[in-house]
Amino acid sequence: MKNSIAERIADFLKNFPPFISLPFHDLVTIASEVKVVHAEKNQVLFKVGDATHPNFYIVKEGAIGLSVTSDAEEALIDKCDEGDILGLRPFFAKDNYLMTAKAREESLLYAIPIEIFKPYVEKNTEVLSFLLESFASNTRNPYDKVNKGKLISENVIYDDQSSEIQYFQPISYIKNPITTKRKNPVQSVAQLMTQYKIGSIIIEENDIPIGIITDKDLRSKIATGQFPITTPVEEIMSAPVVTVPENISVAETQLMMLKHNIGHLCVTLDGTNKSKIMGIISEHDVIVAQANNPGVLLKQTKRANRSKELKGIREKLTDLIQNSLDKNIPIQHICNLVGEINSAITKRAIELAIEKMEKQPPARFAWMNIGSQGRKEQLLMTDQDNALVFEDVEEENYDDVKKYFLELADKVTKTLNKIGYEFCPAEMMANNPMWCKSITDWNKQFNAWINTPGEKGILMCSIFFDYDFIYGDAALVESITENISKQVDNNQLFFAYLGTDALKNPPPLGFFRQFLVENDGEHKDSFDLKSRALMPLIDAARLLTLSQNCIGITNTYQRFKKMAELEPQNAHVFEECAEAFSVLLKFRTEEGLQHSSGGRYLNLNYLSKSDKVKLKNTFSPIQDIQDAIKSRFQLTYFT
């Protein structure tokens, strides 16, 4: 007699690794021993420190969150959807669970006995390899676009060996370095170091290195008064010079610096201090060689003197984003890092533009990034949105002052365009006279948007209420923030308009739970991630925090987190919105990086079944938050 329940379970299992590697009759045998587990929302399947279960699990319906405890707080690591496997630890480790698994919604799981499944693992190398790799690598679900064919494990510690390869690559260094003679005064060396913005100079004789002076020598021997500035360099130089050959690896460079407790190495033709000088290696070169880490990119940004250099940094930043995604670094951490570097690039562009102006700024001013840049959510090379505010000046000087800042802004926006940030099609940039104003004019502008809201005013709110101070006098931006705070306080009419706007895009599922896609045009049959999914959450977060007078928080994820803190009774809704936003932003970023686009439109045909499930799971929080907005701001009839 056939076991219809076992066959239904086997029909499900056969669609997912590693079960796809097993014959169907084996799956039926396994399925006959499977237990169906029903988990209510927030029910814990297992937690950190629990003894391991005799089963591992595959999600049939719903979603299971995996989290760890960090600094006394529960940190969500990932979410398991349909077809995802969890609880592998008993296969490979005798110790207790290192993660907590908790149902994030009502869920059904299949509990597969490990002892029943083990014989199939032992005789099927594909299944064994799959499980081993999955447990060791802490990667994501089997149908993940980036890490296809790997599972989520409960082992949160992994070893990224790609960086080890870098250590044995030849290091890049400065060729044809600046040198000087032994009899030259220290003052001339200091002037050379200042002129070329370098931290060391080699002293040579017939192209042979005989010593080196670093900025540390200047601080410890000259600035302290130990030697006068007219002293010949040979009296304070370090000698002999530690030399290395060309093609030295990153690892060897680090060992040499550690061994001799120095920060510079001289590269010579044969690696000895008796042959021709070829270059110099600094500690900075070692850092750069190891990775495009954020600290290095920030330092490079501050040193950049041309838009071409800043463009190179922005391109490296794209690599950093891709590498971070590949390593499953949470998208919010990536946003924070990228936001800081984007801000530093803009700041440097402003500094370079001021240097090109004929005179210094005639009044105090501040530069603001607005929109997605203001929210620090711009991970892709999309267009620039910015604004400029300057202090109030005498009426007779106003036109001249504004003319100066418009010219400055024009230089900055053109530099940003060369770097890769396209001009805003709607001209929402600081070189537009509408968005370059005095503090009084800006406050009047915000007051008009808030107190006489109309369709155009609300559209502007979606851009200009998300701002981030970048450069200049922060007090000017704080003044705008204080004014907004006063104007929005208990302003029901403004919130009604803003709430109506936040509801303009309902959850993007049709009557039969089908994705709502574009019906015509260039992107026909594609899913608009920005308008249909991201913007409803962005608009909702803005509305809710403004209504709570939390003006200083602009990042969507942080806005929802703040709402969860302010309203613990509704925390689960806000937490789910924050998570949904992160998932959607990651989808958009991956799409944009893969196709060198803004990532706005998804071709659903290229998504796996599991990715479609993940995407649909983000729509439920959109519905929940929009229902809450209707109720909170009494918009049922207003809309």
Side-chain angles (χ1 to χ4, degrees):
M1 182 175 177
K2 287 187 176 181
N3 186 337
S4 58
I5 295 176
E7 287 190 351
R8 284 203 300 270
I9 295 173
D11 275 331
F12 175 80
L13 295 178
K14 71 181 182 182
N15 296 308
F16 302 96
F19 308 104
I20 56 177
S21 301
L22 296 174
F24 187 75
H25 62 84
D26 284 347
L27 290 179
V28 173
T29 303
I30 294 167
S32 64
E33 302 293 334
V34 165
K35 294 180 181 178
V36 179
V37 178
H38 175 260
E40 297 286 350
K41 184 175 181 179
N42 294 323
Q43 181 178 331
V44 174
L45 190 64
F46 54 78
K47 63 180 183 292
V48 175
D50 279 358
T52 52
H53 295 184
N55 313 301
F56 69 100
Y57 304 89
I58 182 168
V59 180
K60 171 65 168 66
E61 296 174 7
I64 304 294
L66 296 178
S67 60
V68 295
T69 302
S70 176
D71 296 329
E73 290 188 4
E74 190 178 25
L76 184 71
I77 298 299
D78 219 318
K79 188 173 76 170
C80 303
D81 299 308
E82 180 185 2
D84 286 344
I85 288 179
L86 63 148
L88 283 176
R89 190 160 198 80
F91 264 108
F92 307 106
K94 301 299 182 185
D95 52 345
N96 298 340
Y97 288 116
L98 295 181
M99 279 191 183
T100 294
K102 183 167 69 174
R104 300 188 65 77
E105 58 188 70
E106 188 175 355
S107 303
L108 278 179
L109 302 97
Y110 292 147
I112 303 174
I114 290 171
E115 289 305 315
I116 297 295
F117 194 65
K118 265 186 178 179
Y120 299 96
V121 175
E122 291 167 358
K123 66 183 181 182
N124 191 310
T125 55
E126 289 184 16
V127 174
L128 177 60
S129 298
F130 184 78
L131 295 181
L132 281 169
E133 287 177 17
S134 303
F135 181 76
S137 61
N138 185 41
T139 47
R140 297 172 61 83
N141 83 62
Y143 283 104
D144 186 280
K145 289 186 292 182
V146 176
N147 297 302
K148 187 175 181 181
K150 297 183 180 179
L151 309 175
I152 300 171
S153 81
E154 281 70 59
N155 184 6
V156 297
I157 302 167
Y158 67 97
D159 181 21
D160 180 7
Q161 298 180 350
S162 62
S163 59
E164 294 178 10
I165 298 171
Q166 283 184 307
Y167 283 125
F168 300 101
Q169 300 295 323
I171 191 168
S172 297
Y173 56 86
I174 296 173
K175 295 176 173 60
N176 302 314
I178 303 299
T179 61
T180 191
K181 302 292 184 181
R182 66 164 71 211
K183 297 297 182 183
N184 287 340
V186 172
Q187 184 175 15
S188 68
V189 172
Q191 289 169 342
L192 281 172
M193 291 169 68
T194 302
Q195 178 184 348
Y196 291 100
K197 297 181 180 179
I198 54 179
S200 63
I201 284 187
I202 296 172
I203 294 84
E204 57 87 17
E205 199 168 74
N206 299 322
D207 259 355
I208 305 298
I210 60 171
I212 187 171
I213 285 184
T214 67
D215 49 10
K216 181 180 178 181
D217 293 318
L218 298 180
R219 290 195 306 270
S220 62
K221 298 174 184 177
I222 302 299
T224 58
Q226 185 178 349
F227 293 89
I229 202 165
T230 54
T231 301
V233 294
E234 64 180 347
E235 292 189 27
I236 70 162
M237 70 183 185
S238 299
V241 185
V242 178
T243 57
V244 293
E246 294 183 284
N247 297 320
I248 185 173
S249 69
V250 176
E252 291 170 307
T253 300
Q254 281 189 309
L255 288 172
M256 290 292 287
M257 288 182 174
L258 289 169
K259 178 181 177 181
H260 297 281
N261 193 27
I262 55 176
H264 297 83
L265 297 170
C266 179
V267 181
T268 61
L269 191 57
D270 66 5
T272 71
N273 58 8
K274 303 297 183 183
S275 65
K276 182 181 178 181
I277 298 169
M278 303 302 292
I280 190 166
I281 304 173
S282 68
E283 284 180 308
H284 174 71
D285 297 321
V286 175
I287 295 171
V288 172
Q290 289 184 45
N292 287 329
N293 66 65
V296 171
L297 293 180
L298 279 173
K299 286 182 180 180
Q300 289 177 337
T301 301
K302 292 176 182 178
R303 294 174 180 172
N305 290 311
R306 295 183 301 161
S307 59
K308 185 177 180 180
E309 294 174 50
L310 291 173
K311 183 178 182 180
I313 293 165
R314 186 57 185 83
E315 289 169 352
K316 290 180 183 177
L317 183 55
T318 299
D319 293 336
L320 174 66
I321 296 168
Q322 184 65 70
N323 291 337
S324 299
L325 288 171
D326 291 345
K327 294 176 182 176
N328 290 323
I329 293 174
I331 196 74
Q332 286 308 313
H333 291 319
I334 302 174
C335 279
N336 293 338
L337 294 172
V338 173
E340 291 302 321
I341 296 171
N342 275 330
S343 297
I345 289 172
T346 304
K347 181 178 179 180
R348 188 59 184 147
I350 297 167
E351 292 170 343
L352 293 175
I354 291 174
E355 290 177 11
K356 293 178 181 177
M357 298 290 287
E358 292 182 1
K359 59 179 182 178
Q360 289 294 300
R364 293 184 301 124
F365 79 100
W367 185 281
M368 298 180 289
N369 279 346
I370 57 177
S372 62
Q373 284 185 318
R375 296 190 300 271
K376 291 188 175 178
E377 293 165 4
Q378 189 188 56
L379 298 181
L380 302 168
M381 294 285 273
T382 52
D383 60 321
Q384 52 178 298
D385 296 302
N386 41 60
L388 188 148
V389 54
F390 55 88
E391 67 177 325
D392 290 330
V393 295
E394 296 296 330
E395 189 175 347
E396 60 268 23
N397 297 329
Y398 184 91
D399 288 343
D400 288 339
V401 170
K402 184 163 183 172
K403 181 181 178 182
Y404 175 94
F405 286 120
L406 284 171
E407 184 181 345
L408 173 65
D410 195 55
K411 290 183 184 297
V412 175
T413 54
K414 284 179 178 176
T415 297
L416 292 174
N417 182 253
K418 290 178 182 177
I419 293 168
Y421 304 97
E422 296 179 7
F423 291 123
C424 175
E427 296 186 342
M428 291 183 181
M429 298 179 294
N431 63 341
N432 183 336
M434 291 181 64
W435 315 128
C436 177
K437 303 173 183 282
S438 68
I439 184 65
T440 294
D441 287 346
W442 266 117
N443 283 335
K444 286 179 180 177
Q445 180 68 81
F446 275 104
N447 293 350
W449 287 333
I450 294 167
N451 295 316
T452 54
E455 186 175 337
K456 185 177 179 182
I458 293 301
L459 173 64
M460 295 305 177
C461 292
S462 69
I463 302 293
F464 287 92
F465 279 70
D466 299 343
Y467 56 82
D468 182 37
F469 166 72
I470 298 298
Y471 181 88
D473 192 331
L476 296 172
V477 178
E478 290 169 5
S479 177
I480 291 175
T481 302
E482 290 171 5
N483 175 67
I484 293 173
S485 178
K486 291 176 183 177
Q487 297 299 319
V488 302
D489 189 31
N490 203 31
N491 192 326
Q492 297 306 313
L493 178 64
F494 173 65
F495 294 136
Y497 269 95
L498 210 58
T500 302
D501 187 66
L503 300 177
K504 65 181 181 292
N505 289 313
L509 281 179
F511 186 75
F512 296 105
R513 286 186 56 80
Q514 297 300 310
F515 288 95
L516 296 178
V517 297
E518 302 306 290
N519 293 322
D520 50 34
E522 179 187 354
H523 302 288
K524 187 176 185 298
D525 297 327
S526 293
F527 180 71
D528 186 345
L529 261 176
K530 179 181 177 182
S531 295
R532 295 189 182 274
L534 282 166
M535 288 311 300
L537 290 170
I538 292 168
D539 291 340
R542 181 190 306 108
L543 165 64
L544 291 165
T545 48
L546 283 173
S547 71
Q548 292 280 12
N549 224 319
C550 296
I551 312 298
I553 303 173
T554 58
N555 178 267
T556 301
Y557 180 87
Q558 293 300 332
R559 279 171 164 167
F560 280 125
K561 286 291 188 179
K562 184 64 177 177
M563 288 302 301
E565 176 188 325
L566 293 172
E567 299 180 14
Q569 71 276 18
N570 300 317
H572 67 285
V573 176
F574 301 130
E575 293 281 0
E576 288 182 353
C577 286
E579 183 188 339
F581 177 78
S582 295
V583 171
L584 290 165
L585 187 59
K586 186 168 185 179
F587 264 108
R588 182 176 184 181
T589 305
E590 289 176 338
E591 174 71 15
L593 291 174
Q594 185 177 351
H595 297 101
S596 299
S597 67
R600 178 170 179 169
Y601 296 96
L602 276 180
N603 186 329
L604 298 176
N605 294 327
Y606 294 149
L607 292 186
S608 67
K609 181 180 178 181
S610 182
D611 281 324
K612 288 178 182 177
V613 171
K614 275 191 174 182
L615 194 54
K616 283 184 179 179
N617 284 344
T618 67
F619 302 159
S620 179
I622 295 175
Q623 181 70 66
D624 292 344
I625 202 67
Q626 290 191 343
D627 289 344
I629 287 171
K630 286 179 185 178
S631 174
R632 181 172 302 207
F633 300 101
Q634 300 179 339
L635 297 178
T636 305
Y637 299 105
F638 188 89
T639 56

